[in-house]
Amino acid sequence: MANTPLSFMILCLTISSLAYTALSVPDWPAGRSTRFYDFKLHTMTVKKLCNTKKIVAVNNMSPGPVVYAQQGDRVIVRVTNESPYNATIHWHGVRQILSCWFDGPSYITQCPIQPGQSFTYEFTLVRQKGTFFWHAHVSWLRATVYGALVVYPKTGVPYPFPYPFEEHIVILGEYWLQDVVKLERQVLASGGGPPPSDAYTINGHPGPNYNCSANDVYEIEVVPGKTYLLRLINAGLNTENFFTIANHKLTIVEADAEYTKPFTTDRVMLGPGQTMIVLVTADQPIAKYSMAMGPYMSAQGIPFQNISAIANFQYLGAVPDRISIPARLPSFNDNLAVKTVMDGLRSLKTSKVPREIDTNLFVTIGINVNKCRSKKPQKNCQGINNGTMAASMNNISFIKPTVSVLEAYYKGNEGFFTDDFPGAPLRFYDFVNGAPNDAPIDTNSMKGTRTKVVEYGSRVQIILQDTGTISTENHPIHLHGYSFYVVGYGTGNYDPQTANFNLVDPPYMNTIGVPVGGWAAIRFVADNPGVWFMHCHIDVHQSWGLGTVLIVKNGNGHLETLPHPPADLPRC
């Protein structure tokens, strides 16, 4: 009898809770359980490619520590900046439902964490699982400050494919001998393009094709007959990359943290910012096989690193010191290989694609050459035709403000941004084949911190159109705060009369490679209030201004309203 009041109270609370759940909107995203991590950014000394240098890293690791969580978890990461540079961390692919303040892009949602200061990121993985990653989002620190974010399904929920024997994280990267922060400043000051990276890396290791790297090789040891899950992440800075394993098939089952219908291929291409899960079965004769990473360069006349990074896929029982069986990568400009994989991506489940559209945007993507306006043209105008390189959306190069757009928007502070980003180009022409950007022909980009305001709940379609003002090129476009349905893509200029859309099972992604000399159509519902960066994930293009900001207004009630900023939000 002593327990009766307590039992009765629990029963009443349970009934009350069930009734509330049935009659109310979903609760505030508080998280099922909480995962705590402590990140310290600092300099560390590394030896690679016959050189010793200092890089910025997290917790004395590059790639940095893996953040593990489960769908629905609350993640709290305290970041202390002990490096000499400003820093932020972006949680790439995380939708940040009602947590826009913790998204991480510098001067978009927060001011940078200054040296000696700290900031705590807090977010809930609402209805999300899969392979994500985190990386610095200020200057070019992403070259060394990055790591995986792995989110498992809820307990008891299986993968929609046979459970693998093991899983491994495979992060593709680029390595420079120069200080990357100084390198970005030099590139922007010169007005020209960046030098190629000194090496590609697989989990931080360049492999035997590079000087002093015979033993700097990543290796996966496999058991014959077993199937392995590889979480592929492209954390590279300025190059898109192919990946393959000699004599083995790759079955794609996830792209950008969303399950896909299984699609088997010999090789995949990931642009910077893209992630993928592939299944690989060790079904070949016992030996050591190469895992290879090489360049995909769709632009013309651009220098790039053409030496492949190599890792080992070694069977148990294989002779350790024997040379690995070489992998065959596609040609660096094999556009068909890229299209073939994209054609094979389909959502696993019937999607909820918006059929009707409230907000329709047409956004051109291009590289520009602006007129030289420097008094020292030989020093500052090293771009094509003695101009300065730029990049733009709808011919507007995005300029980051001196405070974050989110803070200025939330506080109503004027003068830091405008809301007049055009919903279409100011003029239409043959985007792919016309208007060569030879200064002084007037295709100079305009500069500004222009944003596009979108009503809460709008069903949005964006047509992303590649342009050939300098050269057509595949651009990996990433949208913060959202995933989107890739309902269509094609070559040439977008034509609504002839474009084929897939409204049944299109892939659901957060970074889309807009085809070289072509277009891509994406759709999503603007149901997450805040300030969201949309930009090319090739960092030099972002530095040149290839981006814009979508501001999604508040809806009704606290579950559709941007919350107040955290107390420790960094100040500029």
Side-chain angles (χ1 to χ4, degrees):
M1 294 295 293
N3 291 331
T4 300
L6 178 59
S7 302
F8 180 74
M9 185 181 298
I10 292 173
L11 177 63
C12 290
L13 286 172
T14 302
I15 294 172
S16 174
S17 175
L18 290 172
Y20 178 80
T21 302
L23 297 174
S24 70
V25 294
D27 201 1
W28 187 271
R32 293 155 46 88
S33 60
T34 303
R35 312 280 177 162
F36 293 92
Y37 287 87
D38 191 18
F39 279 15
K40 286 185 169 55
L41 276 75
H42 55 87
T43 57
M44 63 178 280
T45 301
V46 294
K47 294 182 179 180
K48 284 192 188 301
L49 312 179
C50 312
N51 282 270
T52 300
K53 63 168 287 191
K54 289 185 180 296
I55 65 169
V56 178
V58 172
N59 295 0
N60 214 39
M61 303 166 63
S62 184
V66 180
V67 173
Y68 289 103
Q70 199 172 27
Q71 180 181 346
D73 281 353
R74 184 78 168 166
V75 178
I76 298 178
V77 185
R78 177 178 171 83
V79 177
T80 303
N81 186 7
E82 299 174 355
S83 81
Y85 304 116
N86 286 344
T88 67
I89 299 294
H90 169 53
W91 313 93
H92 188 106
V94 175
R95 293 179 198 140
Q96 298 293 355
I97 304 297
L98 298 178
S99 54
C100 185
W101 297 103
F102 305 105
D103 189 39
S106 61
Y107 300 103
I108 306 299
T109 61
Q110 68 168 96
C111 296
I113 308 168
Q114 298 176 36
Q117 296 184 351
S118 63
F119 178 52
T120 300
Y121 292 89
E122 299 185 32
F123 53 89
T124 300
L125 296 158
V126 181
R127 299 185 301 277
Q128 285 193 278
K129 58 188 176 297
T131 305
F132 307 84
F133 77 116
W134 56 265
H135 60 79
H137 212 303
V138 58
S139 68
W140 288 2
L141 277 183
R142 184 165 65 83
T144 56
V145 180
Y146 60 83
L149 168 56
V150 176
V151 182
Y152 290 102
K154 294 178 181 178
T155 302
V157 177
Y159 292 135
F161 45 80
Y163 202 83
F165 180 69
E166 281 182 355
E167 64 174 63
H168 296 268
I169 296 167
V170 179
I171 306 183
L172 313 181
E174 290 180 275
Y175 186 81
W176 272 266
L177 292 173
Q178 290 179 259
D179 181 303
V180 289
V181 175
K182 294 178 181 177
L183 177 61
E184 185 203 25
R185 293 171 185 166
Q186 292 170 7
V187 169
L188 294 179
S190 74
S197 61
D198 293 290
Y200 299 122
T201 61
I202 298 176
N203 284 349
H205 302 277
N209 289 345
Y210 295 96
N211 291 335
C212 303
S213 302
N215 297 317
D216 198 353
V217 186
Y218 176 70
E219 184 172 285
I220 296 175
E221 189 174 68
V222 299
V223 176
K226 299 297 185 180
T227 297
Y228 293 81
L229 182 154
L230 305 185
R231 298 180 182 272
L232 304 181
I233 298 168
N234 191 342
L237 210 62
N238 288 332
T239 309
E240 299 179 291
N241 294 99
F242 288 109
F243 176 84
T244 189
I245 302 177
N247 297 5
H248 288 74
K249 297 290 186 180
L250 310 176
T251 299
I252 303 169
V253 293
E254 179 191 288
D256 279 3
E258 292 290 338
Y259 293 138
T260 64
K261 294 174 181 175
F263 175 71
T264 301
T265 179
D266 294 323
R267 64 279 186 267
V268 295
M269 194 286 287
L270 290 88
Q274 292 185 309
T275 69
M276 192 176 285
I277 285 181
V278 297
L279 301 179
V280 185
T281 299
D283 56 4
Q284 297 299 303
I286 292 176
K288 181 164 64 174
Y289 297 86
S290 291
M291 295 189 289
M293 167 196 180
Y296 169 53
M297 179 53 69
S298 56
Q300 298 179 3
I302 304 297
F304 60 92
Q305 175 58 260
N306 202 24
I307 300 176
S308 301
I310 299 295
N312 292 331
F313 193 74
Q314 175 149 334
Y315 280 61
L316 191 66
V319 178
D321 57 353
R322 184 163 293 177
I323 296 175
S324 60
I325 296 173
R328 295 183 59 184
L329 286 162
S331 171
F332 73 88
N333 58 357
D334 192 340
N335 299 322
L336 181 59
V338 177
K339 181 180 184 301
T340 300
V341 172
M342 190 63 202
D343 287 347
L345 295 183
R346 293 287 185 269
S347 288
L348 180 63
K349 298 180 180 179
T350 302
S351 61
K352 300 177 181 178
V353 184
R355 298 302 179 101
E356 298 180 2
I357 300 300
D358 305 306
T359 301
N360 209 330
L361 306 178
F362 190 104
V363 178
T364 58
I365 301 164
I367 306 299
N368 304 73
V369 178
N370 291 342
K371 289 182 181 180
C372 178
R373 305 189 185 280
S374 171
K375 295 180 180 179
K376 300 178 180 179
Q378 291 184 333
K379 181 179 180 181
N380 305 123
C381 302
Q382 298 178 19
I384 297 173
N385 296 328
N386 301 316
T388 60
M389 303 303 296
S392 62
M393 287 186 169
N394 282 350
N395 212 42
I396 297 166
S397 293
F398 186 82
I399 304 297
K400 291 184 178 180
T402 54
V403 301
S404 79
V405 177
L406 178 58
E407 192 169 358
Y409 168 70
Y410 183 82
K411 295 180 177 179
N413 295 337
E414 297 182 355
F416 294 102
F417 69 91
T418 59
D419 60 1
D420 56 350
F421 180 81
L426 299 181
R427 63 187 181 93
F428 280 75
Y429 56 94
D430 183 348
F431 295 114
V432 174
N433 304 300
N437 189 192
D438 297 329
I441 291 177
D442 188 16
T443 49
N444 287 265
S445 61
M446 297 175 284
K447 296 181 179 180
T449 310
R450 299 195 188 187
T451 69
K452 180 66 178 179
V453 178
V454 178
E455 294 291 331
Y456 183 91
S458 293
R459 294 161 293 187
V460 181
Q461 174 175 281
I462 304 178
I463 305 298
L464 298 163
Q465 174 70 59
D466 185 31
T467 65
T469 49
I470 294 297
S471 172
T472 55
E473 183 174 358
N474 186 294
H475 291 274
I477 301 299
H478 174 49
L479 175 60
H480 291 228
Y482 290 90
S483 290
F484 46 75
Y485 295 102
V486 182
V487 297
Y489 53 90
T491 56
N493 296 296
Y494 171 72
D495 182 349
Q497 302 301 318
T498 59
N500 291 319
F501 278 12
N502 174 11
L503 301 180
V504 178
D505 58 354
Y508 195 48
M509 308 178 79
N510 61 63
T511 305
I512 175 61
V514 178
V516 52
W519 57 272
I522 66 174
R523 291 185 179 184
F524 62 96
V525 177
D527 56 1
N528 190 12
V531 169
W532 308 109
F533 202 18
M534 182 173 72
H535 64 92
C536 183
H537 221 275
I538 294 175
D539 269 29
V540 67
H541 294 175
Q542 184 189 154
S543 299
W544 286 341
L546 210 170
T548 190
V549 165
L550 301 182
I551 297 178
V552 177
K553 296 168 67 173
N554 289 332
N556 298 316
H558 76 287
L559 292 179
E560 298 178 0
T561 300
L562 180 71
H564 58 77
D568 63 340
L569 186 71
R571 299 182 181 276
C572 289

